[in-house]
Amino acid sequence: MGLLTVICPCYNEEESVELFHQEVMKNTDFFREKGLELEIMFVDDGSRDGTLAEIKKLRERDERVHFVSFSRNFGKEAAMYAGLEKARGDYAVIMDVDLQDPPSLLPEMYSYIEEGYDSVATRRVTRKGEPPIRSFFARRFYGLMKMISKTEIVDGARDYRLMTRQMVDAILSMGEYNRFTKGIYGWVGFRTKWLEYENVERARGETKWNFWKLLLYSIEGITAFSTAPLSIAAFVGALFCLIAFAMIIFIIVRKMIFGDPVSGWPSLVCIILMTGGVQFFCTGILGQYLAKTYLEVKKRPIYLAKEEA
Ligand code: UDP
Ligand code: MG
């Protein structure tokens, strides 16, 4: 028998774990017929509620349940990495515990793997049930990424993806500390089939993301998969130099022709403020990349496990 590992990152999800297990295991018969056994690899991302206890309870009943538990909250990116690392399956799929990634899609996804695809990815075509500002900024983010990154990052793409062992190993070979899985998926390539579905609302519990966390995450995405902001900074710098140069010539010529005394300090103040602002902004961009490099160079582990089974 082959093995399909379902990787499930959980952070404070005690209400959802059991329901998730129940829904995923409904696919058992389908996959047995295909010669695949299911296993679930829960990654407890330093939950402070009874998530780990719930997982252990499941494990007592069902030996196909495995888990890694982190020493603290390392974030979903680290959790996905740990899950992929611990997965023993010939195939692996990453899924949210809140059933927003419908487990009923698995048979269809697998049928494409049988057809010869290396991975089957999913994207939401609607964002209903999501706060409108969140959708608005998410759309802008994907639009921006399309412009400035060579790596394909698809709007509405989920982390929900079924992959072959070969692709899992490729992802694991990218041991970077600043992880942005949606970009990593695109970067490693392979033949990918996209499935679309309507947004499903969270079954239980609450979202773990707020606006601020998402904003920081999007900066992560930009700096991890594009260096365009650095070029933009350099370009803006050069542009300002040119403008300044043209203005100096203009002032010198005007002085020589009209003998105009130095006037117009308010405009001067505006220009100084503006160039100052642009400089700070550009230094900030540089700082962002430097900070990421700093963290990368330290080679800290992506996660620390406290317990696993
Ligand atoms: N999650 C995690 N660590 C975190 C935040 C979230 O492992 O620090 C997990 C969470 O338990 C869930 C998945 O990531 O299984 C997606 O989170 P959520 O449903 O809150 O995000 P949303 O669907 O609202 O984007
Ligand atoms: Mg969710």
Side-chain angles (χ1 to χ4, degrees), residues 8-13 43 45 73-76 79 95-98 100 124 130 134 158 202 206-209 213:
C8 177
C10 310
Y11 177 51
N12 295 344
E13 303 275 8
V43 186
D45 186 9
N73 180 244
F74 279 87
K76 190 185 176 189
M95 242 176 184
D96 285 1
V97 72
D98 56 9
Q100 280 191 302
R124 300 184 288 186
E130 198 182 63
R134 185 169 154 177
R158 305 278 304 170
R202 204 174 223 284
E206 264 159 25
T207 175
K208 304 295 174 297
W209 296 87
K213 264 182 143 179

Side-chain angles (χ1 to χ4, degrees), residues 128-143:
K128 79 167 167 15
E130 198 182 63
I133 350 177
R134 185 169 154 177
S135 304
F136 175 81
F137 281 104
R139 290 242 155 77
R140 296 293 87 72
F141 169 73
Y142 286 107

Side-chain angles (χ1 to χ4, degrees), residues 11-18 47 49-52 54 204:
Y11 177 51
N12 295 344
E13 303 275 8
E14 56 182 3
E15 316 96 319
S16 310
V17 171
E18 202 188 325
S47 302
D49 64 354
T51 304
L52 186 58
E54 284 293 318
R204 291 177 188 177

Side-chain angles (χ1 to χ4, degrees), residues 13-186:
E13 303 275 8
E14 56 182 3
E15 316 96 319
S16 310
V17 171
E18 202 188 325
L19 184 67
F20 175 79
H21 172 264
Q22 192 185 319
E23 290 297 315
V24 168
M25 289 311 180
K26 279 185 184 162
N27 290 302
T28 305
D29 291 337
F30 173 85
F31 282 104
R32 280 218 176 114
E33 264 169 44
K34 301 277 179 192
L36 284 177
E37 199 59 70
L38 290 178
E39 76 167 2
I40 302 185
M41 176 59 68
F42 283 108
V43 186
D44 165 36
D45 186 9
S47 302
R48 273 175 298 235
D49 64 354
T51 304
L52 186 58
E54 284 293 318
I55 296 171
K56 284 181 175 164
K57 247 199 277 173
L58 280 178
R59 184 168 162 72
E60 267 166 34
R61 283 203 332 248
D62 186 349
E63 59 186 18
R64 295 173 297 174
V65 172
H66 298 269
F67 68 86
V68 206
S69 179
F70 287 180
S71 59
R72 64 167 170 87
N73 180 244
F74 279 87
K76 190 185 176 189
E77 285 294 337
M80 290 192 285
Y81 182 81
L84 288 169
E85 206 173 57
K86 302 291 173 194
R88 294 169 306 137
D90 306 291
Y91 303 96
V93 58
I94 298 178
M95 242 176 184
D96 285 1
V97 72
D98 56 9
L99 297 175
Q100 280 191 302
D101 300 330
S104 53
L105 228 57
L106 279 174
E108 192 188 344
M109 288 167 87
Y110 185 70
S111 70
Y112 287 105
I113 295 280
E114 281 182 316
E115 260 179 41
Y117 284 97
D118 300 300
S119 85
V120 184
T122 57
R123 65 181 283 259
R124 300 184 288 186
V125 280
T126 59
R127 287 177 171 270
K128 79 167 167 15
E130 198 182 63
I133 350 177
R134 185 169 154 177
S135 304
F136 175 81
F137 281 104
R139 290 242 155 77
R140 296 293 87 72
F141 169 73
Y142 286 107
L144 182 70
M145 281 308 272
K146 209 185 197 113
M147 266 161 39
I148 65 174
S149 174
K150 286 195 199 83
T151 307
E152 190 194 16
I153 295 165
V154 178
D155 185 6
R158 305 278 304 170
D159 293 320
Y160 186 20
R161 190 185 278 246
L162 179 60
M163 296 164 269
T164 59
R165 169 54 45 188
Q166 196 186 20
M167 179 146 173
V168 171
D169 289 340
I171 293 172
L172 287 174
S173 73
M174 298 180 76
E176 57 212 71
Y177 181 78
N178 298 287
R179 301 188 74 78
F180 186 67
T181 298
K182 289 185 177 102
I184 292 176
Y185 282 152

